[in-house]
Amino acid sequence: MHGLRSALRTLTLIPVPAGGGEDLGRALPWFPLVGLILGATLYAVDPVFRLLLADPWPAGAALLIVLLETLLTRGLHLDGLGDWADSLGGYFDRERRLAIMKDVHIGAFGVAAIVLDLLAKWIACERLVAAGRASLLIPVAILSRGMMVWLITTLPYARAGDGMGRPFVQGANPGRCGAALAVCLLVCVPFGLAGIGLFMLAWVTTMLLGLRWRRSFGGITGDLLGTANEGLGVVLLMACACIAHLP
């Protein structure tokens, strides 16, 4: 359970005690379970919100879902997304882009990326709630966390010095990656063709991101992992929104 504790401390603000000298790589197989906890919590917003209101209000429920996710994850991945977007100003200079991502200040690209990310989530969640398919939030949350393990396992750490992502990269191994992906697939299967389709979409998107970042940055960083989480979340939510009204 030490790995679950580390995963919760890393991916959420759920208060759990810290452990001294722990191998953070042990947290990797638990990433999908943390996604399951978050996804189930977000899904619960829909029925609770319906009970509290006399008339349906999908846009309001969707806003609460996006707000709750942001609070529960303390905006960690949004910060990574903003840093990555700002690094686009570094063009093709790898070291300059890494330096920009390390800067604590946020620029116009970062603000625009975060706003568009939150807006896309709200629009997609509104459609899912309206169609009665909010349960798809569960596989989306699982896959967007679980697929990060593949990036951590297959890509080197891009920075020369220390960073938030380095302890996870150092503790990664194929066994932990395989366990995380197996959990992702296992949880997606009960959702039928939609779940399997989401798994395949997440897998392909993650591989494309990995190839791109290996070429652009030489590997992975904590900010790029946050970007992957947010990017996957938006791609999967939009895919769910597209099929929300299908039988």
PDB file of all heavy atoms in Angstrom, residues 13-43:
ATOM      1  N   LEU A  13      -4.861  15.782  -4.008  1.00  0.00           N
ATOM      2  CA  LEU A  13      -4.600  16.453  -2.736  1.00  0.00           C
ATOM      3  C   LEU A  13      -5.217  15.692  -1.570  1.00  0.00           C
ATOM      4  O   LEU A  13      -5.345  16.222  -0.465  1.00  0.00           O
ATOM      5  CB  LEU A  13      -5.103  17.905  -2.763  1.00  0.00           C
ATOM      6  CG  LEU A  13      -6.534  18.251  -3.164  1.00  0.00           C
ATOM      7  CD1 LEU A  13      -7.588  17.682  -2.258  1.00  0.00           C
ATOM      8  CD2 LEU A  13      -6.689  19.762  -3.233  1.00  0.00           C
ATOM      9  N   ILE A  14      -5.621  14.430  -1.804  1.00  0.00           N
ATOM     10  CA  ILE A  14      -6.164  13.606  -0.732  1.00  0.00           C
ATOM     11  C   ILE A  14      -5.107  13.469   0.359  1.00  0.00           C
ATOM     12  O   ILE A  14      -3.978  13.051   0.089  1.00  0.00           O
ATOM     13  CB  ILE A  14      -6.572  12.223  -1.259  1.00  0.00           C
ATOM     14  CG1 ILE A  14      -7.686  12.366  -2.294  1.00  0.00           C
ATOM     15  CG2 ILE A  14      -7.022  11.317  -0.111  1.00  0.00           C
ATOM     16  CD1 ILE A  14      -8.074  11.068  -2.964  1.00  0.00           C
ATOM     17  N   PRO A  15      -5.437  13.845   1.594  1.00  0.00           N
ATOM     18  CA  PRO A  15      -4.433  13.829   2.658  1.00  0.00           C
ATOM     19  C   PRO A  15      -4.054  12.417   3.088  1.00  0.00           C
ATOM     20  O   PRO A  15      -4.856  11.683   3.656  1.00  0.00           O
ATOM     21  CB  PRO A  15      -5.130  14.581   3.802  1.00  0.00           C
ATOM     22  CG  PRO A  15      -6.595  14.389   3.548  1.00  0.00           C
ATOM     23  CD  PRO A  15      -6.753  14.317   2.063  1.00  0.00           C
ATOM     24  N   VAL A  16      -2.834  12.022   2.780  1.00  0.00           N
ATOM     25  CA  VAL A  16      -2.301  10.733   3.224  1.00  0.00           C
ATOM     26  C   VAL A  16      -0.918  10.993   3.808  1.00  0.00           C
ATOM     27  O   VAL A  16      -0.211  11.908   3.372  1.00  0.00           O
ATOM     28  CB  VAL A  16      -2.205   9.713   2.074  1.00  0.00           C
ATOM     29  CG1 VAL A  16      -3.586   9.289   1.608  1.00  0.00           C
ATOM     30  CG2 VAL A  16      -1.419  10.277   0.897  1.00  0.00           C
ATOM     31  N   PRO A  17      -0.510  10.213   4.798  1.00  0.00           N
ATOM     32  CA  PRO A  17       0.801  10.442   5.420  1.00  0.00           C
ATOM     33  C   PRO A  17       1.941  10.171   4.463  1.00  0.00           C
ATOM     34  O   PRO A  17       1.866   9.284   3.607  1.00  0.00           O
ATOM     35  CB  PRO A  17       0.811   9.467   6.603  1.00  0.00           C
ATOM     36  CG  PRO A  17      -0.174   8.400   6.223  1.00  0.00           C
ATOM     37  CD  PRO A  17      -1.235   9.102   5.434  1.00  0.00           C
ATOM     38  N   ALA A  18       3.013  10.937   4.615  1.00  0.00           N
ATOM     39  CA  ALA A  18       4.197  10.754   3.769  1.00  0.00           C
ATOM     40  C   ALA A  18       5.023   9.592   4.293  1.00  0.00           C
ATOM     41  O   ALA A  18       4.993   9.255   5.471  1.00  0.00           O
ATOM     42  CB  ALA A  18       5.031  12.027   3.747  1.00  0.00           C
ATOM     43  N   GLY A  19       5.785   8.988   3.381  1.00  0.00           N
ATOM     44  CA  GLY A  19       6.689   7.914   3.761  1.00  0.00           C
ATOM     45  C   GLY A  19       8.120   8.318   3.473  1.00  0.00           C
ATOM     46  O   GLY A  19       8.416   8.899   2.434  1.00  0.00           O
ATOM     47  N   GLY A  20       9.024   8.041   4.366  1.00  0.00           N
ATOM     48  CA  GLY A  20      10.404   8.455   4.178  1.00  0.00           C
ATOM     49  C   GLY A  20      11.198   7.481   3.327  1.00  0.00           C
ATOM     50  O   GLY A  20      11.108   6.274   3.503  1.00  0.00           O
ATOM     51  N   GLY A  21      11.997   8.012   2.393  1.00  0.00           N
ATOM     52  CA  GLY A  21      12.882   7.203   1.590  1.00  0.00           C
ATOM     53  C   GLY A  21      12.186   6.156   0.732  1.00  0.00           C
ATOM     54  O   GLY A  21      12.714   5.080   0.501  1.00  0.00           O
ATOM     55  N   GLU A  22      10.978   6.475   0.263  1.00  0.00           N
ATOM     56  CA  GLU A  22      10.205   5.493  -0.490  1.00  0.00           C
ATOM     57  C   GLU A  22      10.585   5.506  -1.962  1.00  0.00           C
ATOM     58  O   GLU A  22      10.872   6.557  -2.533  1.00  0.00           O
ATOM     59  CB  GLU A  22       8.712   5.794  -0.335  1.00  0.00           C
ATOM     60  CG  GLU A  22       7.827   4.733  -0.937  1.00  0.00           C
ATOM     61  CD  GLU A  22       6.364   4.976  -0.634  1.00  0.00           C
ATOM     62  OE1 GLU A  22       6.066   5.902   0.119  1.00  0.00           O
ATOM     63  OE2 GLU A  22       5.533   4.237  -1.180  1.00  0.00           O
ATOM     64  N   ASP A  23      10.588   4.327  -2.583  1.00  0.00           N
ATOM     65  CA  ASP A  23      10.815   4.191  -4.011  1.00  0.00           C
ATOM     66  C   ASP A  23       9.549   4.629  -4.737  1.00  0.00           C
ATOM     67  O   ASP A  23       8.537   3.924  -4.740  1.00  0.00           O
ATOM     68  CB  ASP A  23      11.143   2.736  -4.336  1.00  0.00           C
ATOM     69  CG  ASP A  23      11.261   2.492  -5.833  1.00  0.00           C
ATOM     70  OD1 ASP A  23      11.342   3.475  -6.600  1.00  0.00           O
ATOM     71  OD2 ASP A  23      11.269   1.317  -6.238  1.00  0.00           O
ATOM     72  N   LEU A  24       9.590   5.819  -5.369  1.00  0.00           N
ATOM     73  CA  LEU A  24       8.394   6.354  -6.013  1.00  0.00           C
ATOM     74  C   LEU A  24       7.981   5.530  -7.224  1.00  0.00           C
ATOM     75  O   LEU A  24       6.839   5.631  -7.674  1.00  0.00           O
ATOM     76  CB  LEU A  24       8.622   7.817  -6.412  1.00  0.00           C
ATOM     77  CG  LEU A  24       8.764   8.799  -5.247  1.00  0.00           C
ATOM     78  CD1 LEU A  24       8.993  10.222  -5.770  1.00  0.00           C
ATOM     79  CD2 LEU A  24       7.546   8.766  -4.344  1.00  0.00           C
ATOM     80  N   GLY A  25       8.881   4.722  -7.748  1.00  0.00           N
ATOM     81  CA  GLY A  25       8.504   3.845  -8.841  1.00  0.00           C
ATOM     82  C   GLY A  25       7.422   2.859  -8.442  1.00  0.00           C
ATOM     83  O   GLY A  25       6.653   2.381  -9.295  1.00  0.00           O
ATOM     84  N   ARG A  26       7.325   2.565  -7.154  1.00  0.00           N
ATOM     85  CA  ARG A  26       6.297   1.642  -6.684  1.00  0.00           C
ATOM     86  C   ARG A  26       4.902   2.226  -6.819  1.00  0.00           C
ATOM     87  O   ARG A  26       3.900   1.495  -6.762  1.00  0.00           O
ATOM     88  CB  ARG A  26       6.562   1.277  -5.219  1.00  0.00           C
ATOM     89  CG  ARG A  26       7.861   0.506  -5.008  1.00  0.00           C
ATOM     90  CD  ARG A  26       8.220   0.399  -3.533  1.00  0.00           C
ATOM     91  NE  ARG A  26       7.214  -0.327  -2.767  1.00  0.00           N
ATOM     92  CZ  ARG A  26       7.249  -0.472  -1.449  1.00  0.00           C
ATOM     93  NH1 ARG A  26       8.240   0.066  -0.752  1.00  0.00           N
ATOM     94  NH2 ARG A  26       6.307  -1.134  -0.832  1.00  0.00           N
ATOM     95  N   ALA A  27       4.825   3.544  -7.008  1.00  0.00           N
ATOM     96  CA  ALA A  27       3.518   4.192  -7.160  1.00  0.00           C
ATOM     97  C   ALA A  27       2.933   3.963  -8.548  1.00  0.00           C
ATOM     98  O   ALA A  27       1.711   4.080  -8.737  1.00  0.00           O
ATOM     99  CB  ALA A  27       3.650   5.696  -6.899  1.00  0.00           C
ATOM    100  N   LEU A  28       3.767   3.645  -9.534  1.00  0.00           N
ATOM    101  CA  LEU A  28       3.308   3.606 -10.923  1.00  0.00           C
ATOM    102  C   LEU A  28       2.152   2.634 -11.175  1.00  0.00           C
ATOM    103  O   LEU A  28       1.183   3.004 -11.858  1.00  0.00           O
ATOM    104  CB  LEU A  28       4.488   3.282 -11.844  1.00  0.00           C
ATOM    105  CG  LEU A  28       5.628   4.318 -11.839  1.00  0.00           C
ATOM    106  CD1 LEU A  28       6.747   3.879 -12.777  1.00  0.00           C
ATOM    107  CD2 LEU A  28       5.110   5.695 -12.237  1.00  0.00           C
ATOM    108  N   PRO A  29       2.192   1.391 -10.686  1.00  0.00           N
ATOM    109  CA  PRO A  29       1.054   0.495 -10.949  1.00  0.00           C
ATOM    110  C   PRO A  29      -0.255   0.980 -10.335  1.00  0.00           C
ATOM    111  O   PRO A  29      -1.331   0.511 -10.730  1.00  0.00           O
ATOM    112  CB  PRO A  29       1.503  -0.830 -10.303  1.00  0.00           C
ATOM    113  CG  PRO A  29       2.985  -0.739 -10.204  1.00  0.00           C
ATOM    114  CD  PRO A  29       3.272   0.708  -9.966  1.00  0.00           C
ATOM    115  N   TRP A  30      -0.153   1.925  -9.381  1.00  0.00           N
ATOM    116  CA  TRP A  30      -1.342   2.428  -8.706  1.00  0.00           C
ATOM    117  C   TRP A  30      -1.958   3.644  -9.401  1.00  0.00           C
ATOM    118  O   TRP A  30      -3.038   4.095  -9.008  1.00  0.00           O
ATOM    119  CB  TRP A  30      -1.007   2.787  -7.257  1.00  0.00           C
ATOM    120  CG  TRP A  30      -0.597   1.611  -6.429  1.00  0.00           C
ATOM    121  CD1 TRP A  30       0.674   1.200  -6.152  1.00  0.00           C
ATOM    122  CD2 TRP A  30      -1.453   0.679  -5.762  1.00  0.00           C
ATOM    123  NE1 TRP A  30       0.675   0.090  -5.365  1.00  0.00           N
ATOM    124  CE2 TRP A  30      -0.624  -0.253  -5.102  1.00  0.00           C
ATOM    125  CE3 TRP A  30      -2.836   0.554  -5.655  1.00  0.00           C
ATOM    126  CZ2 TRP A  30      -1.143  -1.301  -4.357  1.00  0.00           C
ATOM    127  CZ3 TRP A  30      -3.363  -0.498  -4.908  1.00  0.00           C
ATOM    128  CH2 TRP A  30      -2.514  -1.405  -4.273  1.00  0.00           C
ATOM    129  N   PHE A  31      -1.302   4.176 -10.406  1.00  0.00           N
ATOM    130  CA  PHE A  31      -1.842   5.348 -11.109  1.00  0.00           C
ATOM    131  C   PHE A  31      -3.258   5.102 -11.637  1.00  0.00           C
ATOM    132  O   PHE A  31      -4.134   5.966 -11.480  1.00  0.00           O
ATOM    133  CB  PHE A  31      -0.901   5.762 -12.243  1.00  0.00           C
ATOM    134  CG  PHE A  31       0.229   6.663 -11.821  1.00  0.00           C
ATOM    135  CD1 PHE A  31       0.771   6.591 -10.543  1.00  0.00           C
ATOM    136  CD2 PHE A  31       0.760   7.593 -12.694  1.00  0.00           C
ATOM    137  CE1 PHE A  31       1.816   7.415 -10.148  1.00  0.00           C
ATOM    138  CE2 PHE A  31       1.801   8.439 -12.318  1.00  0.00           C
ATOM    139  CZ  PHE A  31       2.329   8.347 -11.048  1.00  0.00           C
ATOM    140  N   PRO A  32      -3.534   3.951 -12.288  1.00  0.00           N
ATOM    141  CA  PRO A  32      -4.908   3.732 -12.767  1.00  0.00           C
ATOM    142  C   PRO A  32      -5.930   3.671 -11.639  1.00  0.00           C
ATOM    143  O   PRO A  32      -7.079   4.112 -11.813  1.00  0.00           O
ATOM    144  CB  PRO A  32      -4.813   2.387 -13.495  1.00  0.00           C
ATOM    145  CG  PRO A  32      -3.375   2.240 -13.852  1.00  0.00           C
ATOM    146  CD  PRO A  32      -2.628   2.884 -12.721  1.00  0.00           C
ATOM    147  N   LEU A  33      -5.546   3.117 -10.477  1.00  0.00           N
ATOM    148  CA  LEU A  33      -6.480   3.050  -9.358  1.00  0.00           C
ATOM    149  C   LEU A  33      -6.817   4.450  -8.855  1.00  0.00           C
ATOM    150  O   LEU A  33      -7.973   4.738  -8.518  1.00  0.00           O
ATOM    151  CB  LEU A  33      -5.903   2.202  -8.223  1.00  0.00           C
ATOM    152  CG  LEU A  33      -6.809   2.054  -6.989  1.00  0.00           C
ATOM    153  CD1 LEU A  33      -8.144   1.452  -7.376  1.00  0.00           C
ATOM    154  CD2 LEU A  33      -6.132   1.221  -5.912  1.00  0.00           C
ATOM    155  N   VAL A  34      -5.817   5.321  -8.818  1.00  0.00           N
ATOM    156  CA  VAL A  34      -6.094   6.708  -8.450  1.00  0.00           C
ATOM    157  C   VAL A  34      -7.048   7.328  -9.469  1.00  0.00           C
ATOM    158  O   VAL A  34      -7.969   8.073  -9.113  1.00  0.00           O
ATOM    159  CB  VAL A  34      -4.789   7.518  -8.361  1.00  0.00           C
ATOM    160  CG1 VAL A  34      -5.089   9.005  -8.126  1.00  0.00           C
ATOM    161  CG2 VAL A  34      -3.902   6.981  -7.245  1.00  0.00           C
ATOM    162  N   GLY A  35      -6.845   7.010 -10.757  1.00  0.00           N
ATOM    163  CA  GLY A  35      -7.765   7.480 -11.778  1.00  0.00           C
ATOM    164  C   GLY A  35      -9.177   6.961 -11.547  1.00  0.00           C
ATOM    165  O   GLY A  35     -10.162   7.684 -11.754  1.00  0.00           O
ATOM    166  N   LEU A  36      -9.289   5.703 -11.114  1.00  0.00           N
ATOM    167  CA  LEU A  36     -10.599   5.121 -10.818  1.00  0.00           C
ATOM    168  C   LEU A  36     -11.281   5.876  -9.676  1.00  0.00           C
ATOM    169  O   LEU A  36     -12.484   6.177  -9.744  1.00  0.00           O
ATOM    170  CB  LEU A  36     -10.439   3.646 -10.450  1.00  0.00           C
ATOM    171  CG  LEU A  36     -11.706   2.914  -9.989  1.00  0.00           C
ATOM    172  CD1 LEU A  36     -12.768   2.927 -11.068  1.00  0.00           C
ATOM    173  CD2 LEU A  36     -11.362   1.479  -9.583  1.00  0.00           C
ATOM    174  N   ILE A  37     -10.525   6.190  -8.640  1.00  0.00           N
ATOM    175  CA  ILE A  37     -11.078   6.940  -7.507  1.00  0.00           C
ATOM    176  C   ILE A  37     -11.566   8.313  -7.967  1.00  0.00           C
ATOM    177  O   ILE A  37     -12.675   8.753  -7.633  1.00  0.00           O
ATOM    178  CB  ILE A  37     -10.024   7.077  -6.397  1.00  0.00           C
ATOM    179  CG1 ILE A  37      -9.692   5.704  -5.803  1.00  0.00           C
ATOM    180  CG2 ILE A  37     -10.512   8.027  -5.301  1.00  0.00           C
ATOM    181  CD1 ILE A  37      -8.509   5.711  -4.853  1.00  0.00           C
ATOM    182  N   LEU A  38     -10.730   9.001  -8.757  1.00  0.00           N
ATOM    183  CA  LEU A  38     -11.114  10.322  -9.250  1.00  0.00           C
ATOM    184  C   LEU A  38     -12.312  10.224 -10.190  1.00  0.00           C
ATOM    185  O   LEU A  38     -13.258  11.017 -10.091  1.00  0.00           O
ATOM    186  CB  LEU A  38      -9.932  10.967  -9.970  1.00  0.00           C
ATOM    187  CG  LEU A  38      -8.760  11.420  -9.098  1.00  0.00           C
ATOM    188  CD1 LEU A  38      -7.593  11.863  -9.978  1.00  0.00           C
ATOM    189  CD2 LEU A  38      -9.183  12.554  -8.181  1.00  0.00           C
ATOM    190  N   GLY A  39     -12.278   9.262 -11.108  1.00  0.00           N
ATOM    191  CA  GLY A  39     -13.364   9.127 -12.069  1.00  0.00           C
ATOM    192  C   GLY A  39     -14.694   8.817 -11.400  1.00  0.00           C
ATOM    193  O   GLY A  39     -15.729   9.381 -11.772  1.00  0.00           O
ATOM    194  N   ALA A  40     -14.681   7.920 -10.423  1.00  0.00           N
ATOM    195  CA  ALA A  40     -15.912   7.584  -9.712  1.00  0.00           C
ATOM    196  C   ALA A  40     -16.445   8.785  -8.938  1.00  0.00           C
ATOM    197  O   ALA A  40     -17.664   9.014  -8.864  1.00  0.00           O
ATOM    198  CB  ALA A  40     -15.657   6.413  -8.765  1.00  0.00           C
ATOM    199  N   THR A  41     -15.531   9.566  -8.370  1.00  0.00           N
ATOM    200  CA  THR A  41     -15.947  10.769  -7.635  1.00  0.00           C
ATOM    201  C   THR A  41     -16.583  11.782  -8.577  1.00  0.00           C
ATOM    202  O   THR A  41     -17.621  12.384  -8.261  1.00  0.00           O
ATOM    203  CB  THR A  41     -14.732  11.403  -6.936  1.00  0.00           C
ATOM    204  OG1 THR A  41     -14.138  10.444  -6.061  1.00  0.00           O
ATOM    205  CG2 THR A  41     -15.149  12.620  -6.137  1.00  0.00           C
ATOM    206  N   LEU A  42     -15.981  11.979  -9.743  1.00  0.00           N
ATOM    207  CA  LEU A  42     -16.533  12.926 -10.710  1.00  0.00           C
ATOM    208  C   LEU A  42     -17.880  12.438 -11.245  1.00  0.00           C
ATOM    209  O   LEU A  42     -18.807  13.233 -11.428  1.00  0.00           O
ATOM    210  CB  LEU A  42     -15.551  13.121 -11.867  1.00  0.00           C
ATOM    211  CG  LEU A  42     -14.184  13.710 -11.496  1.00  0.00           C
ATOM    212  CD1 LEU A  42     -13.303  13.812 -12.736  1.00  0.00           C
ATOM    213  CD2 LEU A  42     -14.332  15.069 -10.832  1.00  0.00           C
ATOM    214  N   TYR A  43     -17.980  11.155 -11.501  1.00  0.00           N
ATOM    215  CA  TYR A  43     -19.247  10.593 -11.982  1.00  0.00           C
ATOM    216  C   TYR A  43     -20.358  10.801 -10.965  1.00  0.00           C
ATOM    217  O   TYR A  43     -21.514  11.062 -11.329  1.00  0.00           O
ATOM    218  CB  TYR A  43     -19.073   9.114 -12.288  1.00  0.00           C
ATOM    219  CG  TYR A  43     -20.368   8.370 -12.484  1.00  0.00           C
ATOM    220  CD1 TYR A  43     -21.263   8.745 -13.486  1.00  0.00           C
ATOM    221  CD2 TYR A  43     -20.709   7.302 -11.658  1.00  0.00           C
ATOM    222  CE1 TYR A  43     -22.463   8.062 -13.659  1.00  0.00           C
ATOM    223  CE2 TYR A  43     -21.898   6.616 -11.828  1.00  0.00           C
ATOM    224  CZ  TYR A  43     -22.774   7.003 -12.825  1.00  0.00           C
ATOM    225  OH  TYR A  43     -23.957   6.341 -12.993  1.00  0.00           O
TER     226      TYR A  43
END
